[in-house]
Amino acid sequence: MVETIKVPADVNYLNKWAGFELPRGIVNKGITGCGATTLAIEDEHKSIICSPRINLIKNKCQQHKGTLAVYGDVRNGDIEDYLRNNPKSKLLATYDSVPRLNGLIKDKLDWRVVVDEYQYLLIDSSFKSETELRLLKTLKEFPYVTYLSATPIADKYMRQVDWFMDLPYTILEWSNVEQRFVKRVQSKNPINNAIEIVRNYQKGIYPFILVNGEKIESKECVIFLNSVTNIVNIIRQAGLQKEDVNIVVASTLENEQLVKKLGLDYGIGVIPLKGEPHKKFTFCTSTAFAGCDFYSTCASTFVISDNKKACTSIDIATELAQIAGRQRLECNPFRNTTTFIYNVDVGESKDDSYKATLEKKLQDSKEYAQLNNSLTGKNREFAIKEIQTCQKLNKYSEHYVCYNEATNCFFVNNMAYLNECFSYDVQKENYLDGIKVRKQLEDSGFHVSGNEVHSDYEEQLECIIRKESFADRMKRYCEYRRNKEACMFVLVDGVMEHQCEDLRLYYDSLGYERIKALGYKELNLKNEMMNKRETYHLYKEFRAIFPVGTKMQTDMIKLKMEEVYAKYGIRQKGVASHLEKRFGIRIKPAKIPLADGSRKGGYEFV
């Protein structure tokens, strides 16, 4: 049964919609950040809001006083004390903590359960499907359960899970949907692109936009990856210091040991709350962002998917819509664009061949389970130990057979099988077929920019992402200048010239056709400029004397220019406007304050 509920146009958040309650069954929220979990926390019902990630639990608990976070370190006694003292209990629990709560809550009739980001039941089943299966079994004892998600999931997979087949399905239809843009960048080595982004930010080369004529720079970036090892390697190669870095990953012993390789001062961080300071660089894995909120005023968002195997691509690839909705502050002008950088090494290229392999693995697993169930005595004990060890170490890479201690039976874990099918389809669709990617994201309220559409910000991102040779950068700069488009000048002035200040000098001095004839090569251009020796050296002198951002009185500018001319034996008067006309050093009029409180005319170097 599918029901569509139209959200009133004047409602931006579900918790502000008077009289609305979360329906039982599956609820497709339609958009992220719509206040669904907040509604569950604030309503009048006793509630368990369960989440796949500890970071999300902690993040929500910090935002909502009076709630109790329940995960591995929380004692049963603390939970029981909370339940006694809070008639309208609000428990925020991880998926694997719900069975424990089930044993502590005796009367479940007046309780409601909200399974936030329920798509992780499928996504995580490749490495902890036992947790998901225990959760689903436990939830059968609660009469009112809501499964929430805003992520596009292949319905064909969820419908094959027995528990979801007959549940009511509700779609929330919003009239006010904020557009989000996903800039897709194919790369042979996405990790190198991540390092290039970091190095540009280190140098103070930030993408920016103009808001009402004011230049606003993105001085922070959040980089999502699917490997803690990659995060550590990027930080090490870029030489980042701990005061500039926030590493938000799962709090496991393995991750802590990896992070400590950077130095004893480094550790696993948390997502700052609203109003708290943010680091210049925030690195996250998928375990950190699901449902969590970021409150940076200026962060740009980058998703780096180093796709070597289906199981490593699924976390990032399936969650583009989730990631794009994580920056919450409207004052952040960069929140609506997510840059998705990925490679195309998808391994198995023939769809029929791969699917046939999975079907054979499923059939073999059924026969293997049947064989093990026929064993008795020591042979059965050996089989139980072997299956448990195999799945712990190999994560269903060999077969899908599990052992259920409660029933003393071997069975085929259908969730693990569906996960592998889903993983393959995700990488095929999200990496190889751009049309399907666009369609998926557009259905989720997002818009993917095509190659024909370039905003100022996107063009700047292109410069920051790619490590280019001088010739490639010079060529692109010339094309931008030649196009005579206003948006291109924003880019040229803001990023490319910051990366290489000589670009403008070469273009202004030699022009497009001559630079093209010289093959855009730096050595050729320098040799050509030597024929204009005076111009080249004067430019270098003036750049040092008149640095960007400083202001100077007109008389002082003239004096310093004449000193440089005299040094080269040039009889020339100093004229401030010549700095721009002849040497490409841009200036704008400014009033210079004097010691007596008055102001005198001059220029600022921009």
Side-chain angles (χ1 to χ4, degrees):
M1 180 177 68
V2 179
E3 180 185 6
T4 299
I5 298 177
K6 292 184 179 295
V7 182
D10 60 345
V11 171
N12 294 319
Y13 300 99
L14 294 178
N15 58 311
K16 303 299 182 183
W17 186 2
F20 177 77
E21 292 191 345
L22 291 174
R24 176 183 168 275
I26 300 171
V27 177
N28 182 347
K29 298 184 294 184
I31 58 174
T32 59
C34 63
T37 52
T38 303
L39 172 62
I41 292 171
E42 294 178 349
D43 67 21
E44 296 303 313
H45 304 285
K46 293 181 183 179
S47 304
I48 300 173
I49 296 92
C50 48
S51 162
R53 302 291 183 255
I54 291 178
N55 279 323
L56 174 56
I57 294 296
K58 294 178 178 178
N59 184 262
K60 292 294 184 185
C61 194
Q62 288 175 318
Q63 295 180 57
H64 298 279
K65 304 303 179 184
T67 60
L68 178 67
V70 181
Y71 46 92
D73 297 337
V74 180
R75 298 180 305 169
N76 285 356
D78 295 333
I79 299 170
E80 291 170 333
D81 288 344
Y82 176 83
L83 293 175
R84 278 193 299 270
N85 298 320
N86 292 272
K88 192 183 74 171
S89 299
K90 296 293 181 179
L91 301 172
L92 305 177
T94 54
Y95 283 0
D96 52 0
S97 296
V98 175
R100 181 156 62 109
L101 288 177
N102 183 49
L104 298 175
I105 298 172
K106 306 306 179 186
D107 184 7
K108 302 176 180 63
L109 291 179
D110 56 347
W111 279 80
R112 293 191 175 187
V113 180
V114 174
V115 184
D116 197 16
E117 312 300 342
Y118 90 106
Q119 72 274 10
Y120 278 90
L121 294 171
L122 180 60
I123 290 173
D124 288 353
S125 60
S126 64
F127 62 93
K128 62 184 189 76
S129 61
E130 293 84 357
T131 298
E132 274 62 45
L133 293 172
R134 281 197 299 270
L135 173 64
L136 291 176
K137 181 179 179 181
T138 301
L139 292 178
K140 290 181 179 179
E141 300 192 28
F142 289 87
Y144 200 107
V145 182
T146 302
Y147 296 89
L148 284 177
S149 178
T151 301
I153 274 194
D155 287 340
K156 62 181 179 181
Y157 295 112
M158 297 311 292
R159 288 172 181 167
Q160 292 178 54
V161 179
D162 293 341
W163 178 242
F164 295 105
M165 284 183 180
D166 299 320
L167 285 182
Y169 188 85
T170 305
I171 300 172
L172 300 183
E173 189 175 288
W174 298 77
S175 55
N176 296 325
V177 177
E178 187 176 36
Q179 283 284 323
R180 301 291 168 92
F181 300 88
V182 178
K183 178 179 176 61
R184 298 172 66 247
V185 180
Q186 287 189 13
S187 170
K188 292 182 179 179
N189 193 328
I191 301 304
N192 284 348
N193 295 113
I195 294 171
E196 192 66 16
I197 292 165
V198 170
R199 286 177 173 161
N200 274 287
Y201 270 75
Q202 283 178 303
K203 297 173 186 175
I205 301 173
Y206 308 118
F208 68 90
I209 63 172
L210 297 177
V211 179
N212 298 324
E214 179 185 358
K215 179 181 177 181
I216 300 177
E217 293 180 315
S218 172
K219 294 187 177 182
E220 299 170 5
C221 63
V222 180
I223 303 177
F224 295 92
L225 298 105
N226 46 12
S227 164
V228 179
T229 300
N230 282 340
I231 291 175
V232 171
N233 289 339
I234 291 168
I235 292 172
R236 181 184 286 122
Q237 289 188 53
L240 293 177
Q241 302 301 308
K242 68 178 182 63
E243 57 268 18
D244 290 328
V245 178
N246 187 12
I247 304 170
V248 186
V249 299
S251 296
T252 65
L253 179 60
E254 181 183 4
N255 287 346
E256 289 173 2
Q257 290 173 343
L258 283 171
V259 172
K260 286 300 180 185
K261 288 182 179 180
L262 294 168
L264 295 178
D265 292 338
Y266 289 82
I268 295 175
V270 297
I271 299 172
L273 297 176
K274 190 174 182 179
E276 292 182 345
H278 290 64
K279 300 289 185 69
K280 177 176 284 189
F281 301 98
T282 299
F283 293 93
C284 296
T285 55
S286 63
T287 188
F289 69 78
C292 291
D293 299 327
F294 291 81
Y295 293 100
S296 170
T297 59
C298 64
S300 290
T301 301
F302 301 90
V303 181
I304 312 295
S305 183
D306 189 23
N307 172 35
K308 295 295 190 298
K309 300 177 182 178
C311 62
T312 59
S313 70
I314 187 169
D315 284 343
I316 299 296
T318 57
E319 298 306 313
L320 285 174
Q322 274 283 348
I323 293 172
R326 297 274 61 94
Q327 288 291 348
R328 299 303 198 204
L329 293 184
E330 292 185 11
C331 64
N332 180 356
F334 309 100
R335 73 188 186 283
N336 286 337
T337 298
T338 298
T339 304
F340 177 38
I341 305 172
Y342 62 99
N343 54 21
V344 292
D345 181 14
V346 296
E348 189 73 50
S349 59
K350 294 183 179 179
D351 185 70
D352 292 342
S353 172
Y354 186 84
K355 290 295 178 65
T357 301
L358 292 185
E359 289 300 325
K360 185 176 187 307
K361 182 177 174 181
L362 177 63
Q363 187 58 41
D364 290 345
S365 297
K366 290 178 179 179
E367 294 176 6
Y368 188 35
Q370 186 177 4
L371 173 64
N372 285 327
N373 278 323
S374 68
L375 298 175
T376 58
K378 286 293 183 182
N379 288 333
R380 190 177 185 85
E381 291 178 15
F382 290 147
I384 292 171
K385 185 178 293 186
E386 183 181 357
I387 291 294
Q388 291 174 335
T389 302
C390 179
Q391 301 306 32
K392 183 177 181 180
L393 295 176
N394 299 323
K395 313 299 183 188
Y396 299 99
S397 62
E398 295 185 15
H399 56 75
Y400 305 121
V401 179
C402 284
Y403 173 71
N404 188 324
E405 292 183 2
T407 62
N408 189 28
C409 286
F410 297 89
F411 69 99
V412 172
N413 187 338
N414 195 47
M415 290 283 280
Y417 162 69
L418 294 176
N419 170 274
E420 289 202 331
C421 295
F422 183 41
S423 298
Y424 183 72
D425 280 353
V426 163
Q427 67 173 354
K428 290 287 285 187
E429 294 175 3
N430 280 1
Y431 293 98
L432 297 183
D433 194 330
I435 295 175
K436 289 186 179 179
V437 172
R438 291 185 176 89
K439 188 69 168 65
Q440 286 177 359
L441 293 173
E442 286 172 356
D443 286 348
S444 305
F446 296 89
H447 171 71
V448 180
S449 56
N451 292 332
E452 71 283 357
V453 180
H454 292 280
S455 69
D456 299 347
Y457 178 52
E458 284 183 320
E459 294 296 346
Q460 294 171 62
L461 291 173
E462 193 74 21
C463 297
I464 288 171
I465 289 167
R466 299 192 186 280
K467 186 174 183 178
E468 296 179 306
S469 66
F470 176 87
D472 288 339
R473 184 158 291 170
M474 186 76 247
K475 181 178 180 180
R476 200 144 56 85
Y477 180 91
C478 288
E479 294 294 340
Y480 290 156
R481 287 288 300 268
R482 193 184 188 206
N483 284 339
K484 303 292 185 182
E485 292 181 11
C487 66
M488 299 305 182
F489 279 108
V490 172
L491 165 68
V492 167
D493 293 341
V495 174
M496 293 188 74
E497 289 178 3
H498 196 166
Q499 292 173 319
C500 181
E501 65 177 19
D502 285 346
L503 296 177
R504 185 182 183 93
L505 172 65
Y506 289 138
Y507 190 91
D508 289 345
S509 299
L510 303 177
Y512 174 82
E513 294 298 339
R514 186 55 184 156
I515 293 174
K516 181 180 179 182
L518 294 169
Y520 306 101
K521 296 180 179 179
E522 187 172 20
L523 181 60
N524 293 346
L525 298 179
K526 282 185 176 180
N527 290 336
E528 185 78 2
M529 288 297 293
M530 292 304 291
N531 297 327
K532 301 187 175 185
R533 185 169 184 146
E534 288 180 356
T535 302
Y536 180 74
H537 288 289
L538 289 173
Y539 169 79
K540 287 292 189 182
E541 293 270 5
F542 289 147
R543 269 294 187 192
I545 295 171
F546 307 121
V548 172
T550 59
K551 299 178 181 179
M552 196 175 293
Q553 295 177 30
T554 305
D555 292 343
M556 183 59 67
I557 294 173
K558 292 179 179 179
L559 178 62
K560 288 184 176 293
M561 288 180 69
E562 289 171 4
E563 288 175 354
V564 173
Y565 285 145
K567 179 179 176 179
Y568 288 93
I570 300 172
R571 298 179 64 183
Q572 176 75 49
K573 287 186 177 182
V575 180
S577 61
H578 289 178
L579 289 174
E580 187 163 86
K581 293 177 181 178
R582 297 182 181 179
F583 304 103
I585 297 174
R586 303 189 67 183
I587 60 176
K588 70 176 183 180
K591 292 292 184 181
I592 313 299
L594 303 179
D596 60 4
S598 63
R599 296 198 301 171
K600 194 170 182 180
Y603 292 92
E604 178 183 1
F605 305 102
V606 298

